[in-house]
Amino acid sequence: MQATTAIDIEGLGFDAGAHVLIKQALRPLPDGATLEIRGGQAGWNAPLAAWCRAQGHTLRFDAAQDTAWVQKGQVFSGRWLGADICGHADPQAPDALADKAKPAWGLAARGATVEAGAPAWSFRLNTKAEVWANNAAQMYAQAVAAQWDPDKAIDWDQATVLPEAIETAVVQVMTYMVENENAALIVPARFLGQLHPHFREIQALLAIQVADEARHIEVFTRRIRLHGHEPALSTVGGQASLKTLVDEPDFSLASFLLSVLGEGTFVNLLNFLHESAPDPVTRQIARLAAIDESRHVAFGMAHLAHRISLEPELRTRLALAVETRFDTLSGTSGLNEEVFDSLILLAAGEVTPAAIARGYVRVQGLMKSMADGRRARLLRLGFPEREAARLSALHTRNFM
C-alpha cells in the first residue's frame, strides 16, 4: 500500500485512545486512500487489526518496522458498517423528508446514520401525507416567539370587584372554557405519541399546542378563583360533544373537527369576551388565548390544505365526520344553558331589561359570526358554497 499520509501514535495504546488519533487521520482521506501509522507500544498491531475489521478498513502490518498501513474502507465516510441512512428521500439533500418514515429509524435525528439492527419502532403516524403542513417550520418559529408568561402578561392586581351576578357569569364561562381546553390539550397530546419523530416540525407544533392549552387552563382556572369562587356547572351535553373530539382516531379528521371548526369558533368566542368582559383581567386573558388559538387554527388549515392537494376526496370524509358527529350528538342538549345566559349577562354588563335585551342581540351576533367564520374556512378548503353553509350549520351547538 502506498501511503497518502502518515501519523505516529508513539506509545499510545488502544486502551488509552489510540483509535481516536487514527480515526481523525482517516476522516479527511478519500475512500481507498492509505494511512501509514507508526507505533511504539508492544503488541499494538492486534487491537489495531480488530479495530480495522470492525470499521471495514484493510490492514497490512510490518512488525520489524513497527509500522502499519490502513486502507480506508468505504463505510467510514459518513456511514457505519451495515448502516442505513436515516431520513432522506434524497440522500444528497440536507434535512430531506421521506414520504414514509422507516420503523428502524426510530428516535434517530432526521438525517442521522442508523446502525443496522436497530429496534423497529411502531409509530402509527409515519407518512408525510397524513400529517404534514408546508409552513410547519415557520409556524413553529412564530409560536415560540409568541409564548407568554401568565404572571407577567396579565395584570392580576387589576382584579376588579364585580357585581355578584356578573362575577358568577364570568366564573361559569371560565369553567366552560377549562373543559373545552382540556379536550384541546388531550387531542394533540394523544397524536403526539403516535407521530414518527422524522416529522419533527409537526412534532414541535403539536407539543407547543399542548403547552398553549395547558397555559390557558391555568389562567382560566386562576380567573375562576380570583375572588374566591370555585368552578361552576359542567353538563352532560358539553362533555358528550368534547368526547367525540377526543375519540376521533384519524389525525386529519380530528384536526378538522377540533382546529378548523371548534377552535376556529372558539376564536370568535374569545374575541367576544375580549370586547365584552367586565374587567381588565378577563379581557387580557381572552386576548392572549385568542392569539394562541388562531395559530392552532392556522396549523389545522395548513395541514388540511396540504392533504387535500394530494387527496381531494378527503373532503368527502371531512363532511361525513361532521354529519356523524351531528347525529351522535342529536340527543344531547348542546351548549350549557348557564353558559349561554352568562354570555348574555357579560354582553349586557348589568341586570336590567334594556341591558339584557342588548346582551341577547350581541350574543346572537356572536353566533352568526361563528357560523360565518366556519363557512369561510370551509370555502378556503375547497367546499362549494352551499355545502360549506350546510356543514357550518351542522357544527355542534357546544361551539367546540
Side-chain angles (χ1 to χ4, degrees):
M1 299 181 185
Q2 184 174 358
T4 301
T5 188
I7 62 169
D8 190 342
I9 63 172
E10 302 174 357
L12 186 65
F14 271 72
D15 59 349
H19 70 286
V20 176
L21 292 176
I22 298 170
K23 183 185 291 185
Q24 294 303 310
L26 282 168
R27 192 176 299 279
L29 301 183
D31 294 344
T34 300
L35 173 68
E36 180 181 301
I37 308 171
R38 292 185 178 275
Q41 187 185 64
W44 68 284
N45 59 308
L48 173 62
W51 183 82
C52 286
R53 283 195 301 273
Q55 298 293 311
H57 308 311
T58 302
L59 172 68
R60 182 169 68 84
F61 187 77
D62 186 332
Q65 300 182 49
D66 275 337
T67 302
W69 292 269
V70 175
Q71 186 177 44
K72 182 178 178 181
Q74 292 183 348
V75 296
F76 191 84
S77 57
R79 297 168 174 83
W80 295 105
L81 184 63
D84 178 28
I85 296 300
C86 171
H88 286 314
D90 173 4
Q92 304 304 313
D95 210 29
L97 275 168
D99 288 332
K100 185 171 184 177
K102 296 181 180 179
W105 292 350
L107 304 182
R110 190 165 72 215
T113 303
V114 181
E115 186 178 8
W121 293 72
S122 180
F123 290 102
R124 188 173 69 84
L125 299 175
N126 62 357
T127 63
K128 180 180 177 183
E130 63 186 334
V131 300
W132 195 246
N134 287 332
N135 57 344
Q138 296 93 319
M139 283 191 289
Y140 175 67
Q142 292 168 2
V144 170
Q147 294 301 289
W148 47 278
D149 181 345
D151 287 325
K152 297 177 180 178
I154 298 169
D155 298 320
W156 297 101
D157 56 353
Q158 295 186 23
T160 307
V161 177
L162 302 171
E164 184 60 24
I166 303 300
E167 179 65 22
T168 300
V170 172
V171 168
Q172 178 61 73
V173 171
M174 291 291 121
T175 301
Y176 164 78
M177 303 288 274
V178 167
E179 70 180 30
N180 279 267
E181 296 296 67
N182 278 330
L185 182 154
I186 290 170
V187 171
R190 183 162 57 86
F191 287 117
L192 189 56
Q194 302 172 14
L195 177 66
H196 198 295
H198 179 72
F199 306 106
R200 65 167 185 267
E201 293 85 351
I202 306 303
Q203 184 183 55
L205 273 173
L206 291 178
I208 209 163
Q209 188 168 326
V210 168
D212 287 342
E213 304 299 6
R215 187 171 58 248
H216 297 171
I217 292 165
E218 175 194 345
V219 296
F220 295 156
T221 302
R222 286 175 68 172
R223 179 59 189 87
I224 289 169
R225 295 199 166 104
L226 195 57
H227 297 295
H229 289 74
E230 288 299 312
L233 179 66
S234 171
T235 62
V236 171
Q239 296 233 28
S241 176
L242 296 176
K243 191 173 186 299
T244 61
L245 296 176
V246 174
D247 288 347
E248 175 53 60
D250 185 281
F251 180 77
S252 294
L253 297 187
S255 296
F256 177 64
L257 295 174
L258 173 65
S259 298
V260 174
L261 297 181
E263 290 181 302
T265 298
F266 231 54
V267 171
N268 293 110
L269 176 58
L270 288 164
N271 288 335
F272 176 85
L273 289 175
H274 178 238
E275 297 170 359
S276 305
D279 64 291
V281 171
T282 306
R283 285 195 294 272
Q284 291 168 17
I285 289 173
R287 180 182 65 83
L288 291 166
I291 293 170
D292 293 339
E293 297 294 347
S294 295
R295 286 198 309 273
H296 305 169
V297 177
F299 171 42
M301 290 291 292
H303 162 63
L304 288 165
H306 173 76
R307 187 159 185 183
I308 288 171
S309 71
L310 303 174
E311 186 186 339
E313 60 274 19
L314 177 65
R315 292 191 191 93
T316 301
R317 291 177 55 209
L318 298 178
L320 181 60
V322 175
E323 294 163 356
T324 300
R325 189 180 185 209
F326 176 83
D327 291 341
T328 300
L329 298 173
S330 61
T332 66
S333 59
L335 182 66
N336 180 344
E337 181 179 328
E338 295 298 320
V339 173
F340 187 83
D341 291 349
S342 293
L343 291 173
I344 293 173
L345 276 169
L346 294 181
E350 58 183 3
V351 186
T352 65
I356 294 298
R358 290 193 302 271
Y360 185 86
V361 170
R362 291 193 61 196
V363 171
Q364 292 301 309
L366 167 65
M367 305 286 278
K368 183 179 185 305
S369 68
M370 288 175 166
D372 290 344
R374 290 192 298 269
R375 186 170 64 252
R377 289 188 294 279
L378 289 165
L379 289 171
R380 284 170 54 198
L381 291 177
F383 286 93
E385 172 68 45
R386 181 174 295 181
E387 180 72 348
R390 183 182 75 86
L391 294 176
S392 175
L394 290 178
H395 180 65
T396 172
R397 289 165 288 178
N398 193 51
F399 298 162
M400 181 73 86

